[in-house]
Amino acid sequence: MTENPSWTMKELQKIDKQYMKARDIEQEASDFKKYNYDLCVRRSQEAFELFLKVVFKLMREEYPTNIKGHELSNQIMSTYEKLKFVLKDYHFPKEDIVRIIIGSKVFHLWRNISLYGEEKLEKIGISKIFTEKEAEIALDYLNKASRLCNLIRSYFYKVSQESSR
């Protein structure tokens, strides 16, 4: 049986600062989808990572800071048993965990292009590289990470409230 971390309300509120920042960036990504696909993809990637940072923090798992730190598929898989236990009372399909793993890999591939453009072919700026379809895919991955984070966060708030009674 996996031991789950516990949090006080004060600790959760401190973690919520990063969560709220992720929510703000998520909103920006959605807004950009209407007129700037490149910014939509970039903001989606940023919010996706922030939501996963919050999840890892809540699960008391190390967030990788190495050179490949933006690609989290292995860390998500290694945390899956703990996540599964926390999510047992919530409907979060395991297929969505797989989509988050795929999203991590895709965002890792798109990250530098969305930030800097493509400099190896020619100096191609960072505008008009991504299409509407890619923006929709980015928002879908973001939505899965956001939902996972919301459920994990809800679980720990519920446990914290129950233990403070």
Side-chain angles (χ1 to χ4, degrees):
M1 184 74 156
T2 306
E3 174 109 6
N4 274 326
S6 61
W7 296 96
T8 66
M9 276 297 191
K10 192 172 188 174
E11 290 170 323
L12 287 171
Q13 289 167 348
K14 191 174 179 182
I15 293 170
D16 267 354
K17 290 178 184 177
Q18 195 168 37
Y19 171 77
M20 296 311 284
K21 183 176 180 181
R23 294 294 306 241
D24 289 345
I25 296 171
E26 178 183 34
Q27 184 58 54
E28 283 180 18
S30 296
D31 292 345
F32 283 130
K33 198 304 192 155
K34 298 171 192 149
Y35 62 92
N36 190 321
Y37 305 135
D38 295 343
L39 282 174
C40 174
V41 168
R42 186 178 323 149
R43 291 293 188 254
S44 294
Q45 187 271 331
E46 290 173 37
F48 179 90
E49 272 192 38
L50 280 174
F51 281 126
L52 290 181
K53 279 183 180 182
V54 171
V55 167
F56 280 99
K57 193 173 281 189
L58 288 168
M59 300 303 295
R60 293 193 192 270
E61 291 286 329
E62 260 329 285
Y63 185 86
T65 56
N66 62 9
I67 194 148
K68 221 182 153 191
H70 297 284
E71 206 280 279
L72 303 169
S73 58
N74 289 334
Q75 290 78 12
I76 296 165
M77 286 187 278
S78 68
T79 308
Y80 179 67
E81 287 305 313
K82 286 170 87 173
L83 290 172
K84 192 166 71 171
F85 180 81
V86 169
L87 294 169
K88 72 181 185 315
D89 294 332
Y90 299 92
H91 176 69
F92 193 85
K94 60 184 171 239
E95 294 83 5
D96 284 355
I97 294 284
V98 175
R99 295 291 301 160
I100 291 170
I101 290 168
I102 294 167
S104 179
K105 291 177 181 191
V106 169
F107 278 135
H108 179 69
L109 293 172
W110 288 354
R111 184 176 190 281
N112 284 342
I113 294 171
S114 72
L115 290 172
Y116 309 115
E118 182 51 69
E119 297 171 342
K120 291 178 185 160
L121 278 174
E122 277 184 43
K123 294 234 182 243
I124 300 173
I126 55 172
S127 63
K128 299 186 180 167
I129 292 175
F130 292 97
T131 65
E132 180 179 11
K133 190 66 174 167
E134 290 158 329
E136 288 170 1
I137 291 168
L139 287 170
D140 183 56
Y141 292 139
L142 171 56
N143 178 271
K144 303 282 190 274
S146 173
R147 186 160 180 272
L148 173 67
C149 186
N150 288 331
L151 292 176
I152 299 290
R153 183 177 166 271
S154 293
Y155 169 85
F156 284 110
Y157 265 96
K158 179 181 165 192
V159 168
S160 178
Q161 287 172 341
E162 288 171 357
S163 67
S164 66
R165 289 183 192 161

